[in-house]
Amino acid sequence: MENNVKYATETRPEGVSSLTADVLVEAMPWIKNVTGKTIVIKYGGAAMVDAQLRADVMADIVLLKIIGVKPVIVHGGGKAINAAMQAAQLPVEFVDGQRVTTPEAMEIVRTVLTGKVNQELVEAMNEHGNMAVGLSGADAGTLVATQMDPRWGRVGTVTSVNTQLIENLVDADFIPIVASIAMGEDGGCYNVNADIAAGSVAAAIGAHKVVFLSDVDGLYEDFQDKGTLISRMTIEDASAMVKDERISTGMIPKLNSCIHALKSGVGRAHMINGTTPHALLLELLTDKGIGTMVTGYDDLADATAQPLGNFAAKLVDRTN
């Protein structure tokens, strides 16, 4: 008779159990801090384009959800938009770091963000169960915008956020994934910078934190000197950097969005590199973190553990 008994001593590498326990113990206070809290995650850059990185980020967000975090994802899709515009033989033009969005380009932006990028993220998330819901910011007037500057065409600045749809989905244990398209006050739609959209959403729903995933490690005092990465700064420091124009054009929307969110009561803002494996977990659940954290006016209070409720029913067991 075949013996199917497996003994732990045959497969347990020496020291692994202790190392795993150390990691869990280190994570415990950080898990307590975020459990039951809403965290807005702006998702962009290469981590969104590469299929494996995308799958890994979605899995990390599901893990955060399992430990009690309430994630809300806001995304752009610049690289996919560029490719679609080139395929349509439309010019890809930027002025002062902002995409020029003609009415023809707006149609492509809306199609790409809501019909391609958003659905790719939903599919990657739903590999783990039926939990992700894809939205356009224009759905239910979640994001409303007006024209930012005639030079940029259909590029909008957010004037209001209708939080009801997002809050209803979060309360029902779903994970909203919101494309950075806004309903125009003048009709039609506007293309909104995803950093600005994420900061606006975080401010409006009273998020605990907002996290900006991009292709850079964080904010540098001098981008040419990689030894000047800032690990922690205050809202006053951030405001001074913007005022003194000590940051690159591409970082201005991120830092302004951090400042807006923090002034609106969001506790902390994080800027991290989404191409770093498990960047979200390292930044949110370890002692050192890996990116730049901007703190608000008030210290964050620890959260108490919250029950998982019916979220577990949305998970799919893929171990068999």
Side-chain angles (χ1 to χ4, degrees), residues 101-129:
T101 308
T102 63
E104 295 80 11
M106 186 66 234
E107 286 301 311
I108 290 178
V109 169
R110 181 167 56 181
T111 299
V112 170
L113 290 188
T114 61
K116 181 179 187 297
V117 177
N118 189 271
Q119 291 307 299
E120 287 174 348
L121 298 181
V122 169
E123 289 170 9
M125 179 76 73
N126 283 345
E127 280 291 312
H128 304 277

Side-chain angles (χ1 to χ4, degrees), residues 39-90:
I39 295 180
V40 173
I41 300 164
K42 182 268 176 172
Y43 187 36
M48 187 167 61
V49 176
D50 182 271
Q52 186 58 54
L53 280 172
R54 182 169 62 240
D56 291 345
V57 171
M58 293 299 104
D60 287 349
I61 293 173
V62 172
L63 176 56
L64 290 173
K65 177 65 175 170
I66 289 171
I67 65 174
V69 174
K70 300 175 181 179
V72 174
I73 303 170
V74 178
H75 72 86
K79 291 182 173 61
I81 293 170
N82 289 347
M85 290 185 66
Q86 289 167 356
Q89 297 184 335
L90 290 176

